[in-house]
Amino acid sequence: MNAVKPANYTKVKVRELQRTLYLAAKANAKRRFHALYDKVYRSDVMWEAWKRVKANRGSAGVDGVTIDHIVREYGEFQFVRDTQRQVIEDTYRPKPVRRKDIPKGDDKTRPLGIPVIRDRLVQMAAKIALEPVFEADFKDCSFGFRPKRSAKQAIQRIHKTVNYGRVYWVVDVDITGYFNNISHDKLLQLVEQRVSDRRMLKLIRKWLKAGVMKNEQYEETEIGSPQGGVISPLLANIYLNYLDTVWEKQFSHLGTLVRYADDLVILCEKKTHALEAIQVLKTVFGKLELSMNTDKSKLVNLWLDKEGFDFLGFHHRRLPKLFKKGKFYDLRSFPSKKAMKKMRAKVKEVTAPRSRLFWSPKQMVDKLNPIIQGWKNYYGGVDPAVSHQYLKKVDWHINRRLTLYWNKKHKRKHLHPKRVAEVFSSMGLKHASAYGSDLSPRVWW
């Protein structure tokens, strides 16, 4: 076994491998791949996987080993070589994931599973080999965690379908605890439709059965795929691709399905179609051993400006446009109430702690700018004319929090927020809204 040092050509070689696998899978929809495990420990695949894991950073798993520790003390070359040897010799054993609960609003949390870095490396290598095989089968309605696809494209599909078609009803669906309720047996059955390599299937089963460590207590995992693992998004898409396939083949006449991971909507022309679509979803979910969250799922009437729905952080609603010939209703998208609340909470989290008073204003700017730029890129690029009205409110909240920070730091009480805004702007503070402050403060809801 000869491990190859990282080089620029690994990315090219990996792309060639993925292209070959994709074309082979696309050419024959019934082909099953029996030699994928050997692709996982290929030197170019392992090094490309390591570069991606390293770029993603992330926290340590249950063993406490961090990326920095591997780079500075263990040695990247040694780490990748040792992992490669374990996979080749079949001595690799995944460790339990570290459970961390992430706040998601409404006093609820989302369980996040953090694998150890070695597991992330092997999962990334396996994903490189598996992803092109299943990409050949994935449907056009799926946008989540796929190459060259994004949430913005999902929203654009909704806009195009509603504004250029006859859509008056929307089935907004929420799946109860999706990642925690994936059936291992049924997931592996779906994987086996394309993969017959027993070692690869055994590897996937090991990850699913690795267990969870929470508060130093080990828990077995008989069901579910840990949200946070490198391979989990791909497995989640494989599982729900069954829904996409059934809908495309048998029920596309009822409406247009748009799915981003476990978030999905169905855009229908008639109420009868929407009601039938709900029954179809319940039946399919039953076969997948999933259930629809009836508290969060709803049927929305899009006619004129009656109702709207939240999807991927945006609130979508038909709003009026005035023309010479009259009023025209068009679907518009802007940050949802929940998204606005999260943005305000994030700003407070950065600026409120008393320890921040020891920070210089430049440190505060450097901390806030990446966050603000992320919001601007996501929320400001879908429907700028409406979204920036809301992002202006975020800018106002940021300035308010910075004014409190500045006055506490300098023990002042009456420094005007406008003056504070000028100080931080001179230091390079970015703005969530691209249109400045001369827009009308009118907000549609």
Side-chain angles (χ1 to χ4, degrees), residues 1 32 35 62 125 146 156-157 207 215 218 246 252 277 305 322 328 337 363 373 398 433-434 443:
M1 177 196 64
R32 299 176 71 204
V62 293
R146 294 182 59 191
Q156 289 168 358
R157 174 67 58 83
W207 288 324
N215 298 326
Y218 174 78
V246 169
S252 58
D305 190 14
L322 297 178
F328 176 75
K337 289 182 178 179
Q363 285 178 293
Q373 188 62 49
I398 292 171
S433 172
V443 171

Side-chain angles (χ1 to χ4, degrees), residues 383-402:
D383 196 345
V386 181
S387 291
H388 285 297
Q389 302 283 351
Y390 291 81
L391 294 179
K392 280 170 57 181
K393 292 179 175 289
V394 176
D395 285 333
W396 179 88
H397 182 70
I398 292 171
N399 189 49
R400 175 176 171 272
R401 295 301 317 178
L402 289 177

Side-chain angles (χ1 to χ4, degrees), residues 342-353 356 401:
K342 283 185 176 180
M343 284 189 272
R344 291 193 296 268
K346 185 63 178 178
V347 173
K348 186 175 181 180
E349 179 186 330
V350 172
T351 58
R356 297 296 194 262
R401 295 301 317 178

Side-chain angles (χ1 to χ4, degrees), residues 49 52-54 56-57 97 113-128 131 145 179 207 225-236:
R52 296 183 186 184
V53 170
K54 182 181 176 182
N56 290 338
R57 306 299 296 172
V97 299
I114 304 174
V116 299
I117 296 175
R118 193 181 301 278
D119 290 344
R120 280 182 243 171
L121 173 58
V122 182
Q123 286 185 18
M124 184 66 78
K127 180 184 176 184
I128 288 173
E131 191 171 57
F145 306 113
F179 282 87
W207 288 324
S225 177
Q227 192 171 359
V230 175
I231 199 73
S232 294
L234 175 61
L235 297 179

Side-chain angles (χ1 to χ4, degrees), residues 145-183:
F145 306 113
R146 294 182 59 191
K148 299 181 181 180
R149 288 189 164 238
S150 65
K152 285 185 180 180
Q153 291 175 321
I155 295 171
Q156 289 168 358
R157 174 67 58 83
I158 293 173
H159 275 238
K160 183 177 179 180
T161 304
V162 174
N163 291 332
Y164 297 96
R166 296 172 61 85
V167 174
Y168 306 108
W169 295 89
V170 175
V171 181
D172 182 11
V173 181
D174 183 84
I175 302 175
T176 304
Y178 172 62
F179 282 87
N180 296 332
N181 291 288
I182 294 176
S183 167

Side-chain angles (χ1 to χ4, degrees), residues 50 113 130 140 176-177 188 194 224-225 258 279-280 342 348 434 443 445:
W50 168 247
L130 288 169
D140 193 46
T176 304
L188 287 169
R194 274 300 200 174
S225 177
V258 179
Q279 297 306 314
V280 170
K342 283 185 176 180
K348 186 175 181 180
V443 171
W445 199 266

